[in-house]
Amino acid sequence: MTKPLHLLLGPLLLALPLSLALNPGQTARAQPLPALVTDAALAKKLASVLSDSRVTRGTVGVVVAESSSGAELYRRSATTAISPASNMKLVTAAAALDLLGPGHTFSTDAYAPAAPVNGVVSKLYLKGNGDPTLREADLRALATQVKAAGITKVTGGVVGDGGYFDSDLYNNYWDPDDYNNSYAAQISGLTLSPSSAYAVGTVQVTYQPGSGKGKKAKLGLVPALAAGYVKLVNKTTTTSAGSGASISVRRSNHTNTITVSGRVALKRSLVKRTVTISNPARYAAHVFTRVLRAAGVDVPASPTTGSTPTVRVQVASDTSVPLSTIVTLLMKPSNNGMTEHLAKTLGRVGTKAGTWKAGAAVIRTWLAKTQSVPSTVVLVDGSGLAHRNKLTARVLVRLLQYAQTRPWFDTFYNALPVAGNPDPAIGGTLTDRMVGTAAANNLHAKTGTLSGITALSGYVTDRSGRRYTFSMLGKYSGSSPRIVFDKVGATLAGWTS
């Protein structure tokens, strides 16, 4: 089944047409220019740019290679293992495209223990299979199929089954204080997103001014059917127009009680804040229960979680968009939750365990087939949220070189953010970077940001039409070298080889 609401961002968030993503005359494949072994002038120029104190005072690994030959034209601490932040997504996405295939899809299915008798079944199992794009509209489509299967009553309620992944919902290497933040949601085999941003395992809390000064703000939820699972505590006050706003939206750990506190000014427009929820599988079962009731199916019992029995009858099924689209949806805005779904799904390749440990092992084994992987490389999640992850600039460059040889390279290349492009569906996390330089609408790369960490790895083409593959990983305690990394990108783009 297709998912029209999963395509709300339009064709720009599909495998992007090269005419939108590339300069005139440029293709995703490296240009067939004579191979370079060295470029002393370029190496000298890059060394000068990287002599900046924001680089020299930190730990920075850099490799720049000619894309067509793989020859390293510049290196600095190439084998130093540094936390890659979201550059880890390059590894996870490439592994998923290689091992699962660009056409891979995820299903979410509804099962009954047996065929309905006079329209009645004892339970309805909502079984997730790791789909990171499931939304309320998809549950409505499932409910339509349930009715079409002749089911009018579910006496024992809906059972949410997130067991495609293990019960370890929050990675042990993530900061425990991040549990409230949308970028650190719980990862379950059955989950739900509130919008086309696909922040898995979250809801959106909305607030706007109350009816008058001194009144409480008006609060809401997206999806609205989350009400009853999520409890909102309103500790807000509406203040005079123009007085500004200071709002805190915080979920109490291990609960689904979200407290909204602070002040909001009159005449302020509605604001949405994305917050994680606890137990995504139960949450999805709750929303599905309410969807079924709205569709006219009698579901008297409250939703629960559990395992789908082996003896069962399928009554409905939903299929996600293909992996090729999902990779773009996660790479452009740097979506952590979607990437963690890929990591745990990869864990089920061979070992059949949907765990972070199994996923990391599969990814490492795959990475070792692309190059020699040093023992200093550490993989503990898929998105790079954990500081414990460690990669080197050389490992990333060799990965990017390998990607160029694969049939899915155009999908991978076009999924990368494009420097200086004002359209977020193309520019992604690079929309506001390298604007007005030769790198704008040229450099395709993945950004990475954690506290004390910045990274940038990808591809850029110079004025002669020669493409470079590069990786820059930086650890710092003072000023970030990010601006210097942008200067390197612009320097490569403006170079004449």
Side-chain angles (χ1 to χ4, degrees):
M1 183 182 74
T2 58
K3 291 189 161 189
L5 288 186
H6 282 190
L7 305 178
L8 286 177
L9 297 181
L12 292 180
L13 280 183
L14 298 174
L16 296 176
L18 296 183
S19 60
L20 292 177
L22 306 175
N23 289 334
Q26 185 182 350
T27 67
R29 305 290 168 176
Q31 297 298 310
L33 298 174
L36 289 174
V37 176
T38 61
D39 188 331
L42 175 60
K44 182 178 180 180
K45 178 62 177 178
L46 294 177
S48 175
V49 173
L50 289 163
S51 66
D52 190 292
S53 63
R54 287 168 289 194
V55 171
T56 59
R57 291 176 182 173
T59 301
V60 173
V62 180
V63 171
V64 176
E66 183 187 38
S67 296
S68 60
S69 67
E72 290 186 4
L73 304 177
Y74 178 84
R75 68 182 70 88
R76 174 195 179 93
S77 301
T79 61
T80 299
I82 300 170
S83 176
S86 284
N87 272 207
M88 182 64 202
K89 292 181 176 72
L90 292 168
V91 181
T92 305
L97 287 167
D98 225 21
L99 296 174
L100 302 176
H104 179 84
T105 57
F106 299 83
S107 69
T108 303
D109 307 305
Y111 296 95
V117 177
N118 296 323
V120 179
V121 295
S122 60
K123 289 182 184 294
L124 203 57
Y125 294 88
L126 181 64
K127 180 173 175 56
N129 292 290
D131 185 1
T133 66
L134 194 70
R135 295 180 61 191
E136 180 186 345
D138 302 308
L139 297 183
R140 294 189 186 280
L142 284 170
T144 298
Q145 294 179 56
V146 168
K147 285 198 69 176
I151 296 173
T152 58
K153 185 172 184 177
V154 184
T155 57
V158 173
V159 181
D161 182 358
Y164 189 75
F165 298 156
D166 67 336
S167 59
D168 186 8
L169 303 179
Y170 195 84
N171 193 292
N172 292 334
Y173 291 98
W174 293 350
D175 186 337
D177 291 334
D178 278 342
Y179 72 88
N180 184 73
N181 299 315
S182 60
Y183 57 76
Q186 294 180 9
I187 305 301
S188 169
L190 174 63
T191 194
L192 206 58
S193 300
S195 73
S196 58
Y198 300 105
V200 301
T202 68
V203 294
Q204 289 181 333
V205 177
T206 67
Y207 62 87
Q208 57 186 318
S211 58
K213 183 178 177 181
K215 301 292 185 179
K216 289 184 180 295
K218 298 175 183 177
L219 305 182
L221 287 167
V222 178
L225 296 184
Y229 187 78
V230 172
K231 177 184 177 182
L232 292 179
V233 178
N234 192 339
K235 293 186 177 181
T236 64
T237 302
T238 301
T239 57
S240 302
S243 60
S246 177
I247 291 289
S248 168
V249 181
R250 190 80 183 173
R251 178 174 65 85
S252 299
N253 203 2
H254 308 300
T255 77
N256 284 299
T257 298
I258 299 175
T259 300
V260 185
S261 57
R263 63 184 189 277
V264 57
L266 285 168
K267 297 184 179 181
R268 184 179 176 87
S269 59
L270 182 140
V271 177
K272 295 180 179 179
R273 296 275 288 273
T274 305
V275 184
T276 61
I277 52 90
S278 183
N279 197 337
R282 190 182 184 96
Y283 166 54
H286 168 87
V287 175
F288 190 43
T289 297
R290 296 195 62 183
V291 166
L292 286 166
R293 289 170 178 167
V297 178
D298 185 10
V299 189
S302 298
T304 59
T305 56
S307 300
T308 304
T310 54
V311 178
R312 63 202 185 189
V313 176
Q314 187 178 76
V315 295
S317 183
D318 181 80
T319 303
S320 74
V321 292
L323 179 61
S324 56
T325 298
I326 290 172
V327 166
T328 299
L329 290 169
L330 73 87
M331 291 281 252
K332 293 291 186 182
S334 200
N335 186 309
N336 288 347
M338 296 185 89
T339 315
E340 299 303 346
H341 273 246
L342 297 189
K344 285 198 170 188
T345 297
L346 286 169
R348 295 185 64 92
V349 174
T351 63
K352 305 300 181 185
T355 68
W356 272 297
K357 183 177 180 180
V362 168
I363 293 171
R364 190 183 187 95
T365 299
W366 168 83
L367 187 62
K369 294 180 180 179
T370 72
Q371 60 187 286
S372 176
V373 179
S375 59
T376 52
V377 166
V378 179
L379 311 176
V380 298
D381 68 18
S383 67
L385 181 57
H387 277 268
R388 177 61 178 148
N389 292 300
K390 294 291 185 292
L391 292 172
T392 72
R394 178 168 287 157
V395 165
L396 281 170
V397 162
R398 289 180 175 175
L399 166 71
L400 292 168
Q401 287 293 116
Y402 171 79
Q404 291 183 125
T405 70
R406 307 304 293 157
W408 41 260
F409 177 63
D410 287 354
T411 292
F412 181 78
Y413 182 81
N414 289 325
L416 295 171
V418 180
N421 192 296
D423 186 342
I426 301 174
T429 54
L430 282 176
T431 290
D432 298 323
R433 293 174 62 175
M434 290 166 269
V435 176
T437 73
N441 288 307
N442 173 351
L443 181 144
H444 287 56
K446 185 71 198 73
T447 57
T449 305
L450 285 174
S451 58
I453 297 291
T454 188
L456 186 68
S457 301
Y459 309 93
V460 64
T461 302
D462 72 11
R463 293 191 187 280
S464 302
R466 190 181 304 276
R467 179 188 292 161
Y468 304 98
T469 307
F470 65 88
S471 177
M472 296 177 275
L473 305 177
K475 179 181 179 182
Y476 62 94
S477 58
S479 298
S480 170
R482 191 185 85 164
I483 293 175
V484 185
F485 287 3
D486 288 359
K487 288 181 179 178
V488 169
T491 297
L492 291 169
W495 193 252
T496 301
S497 56

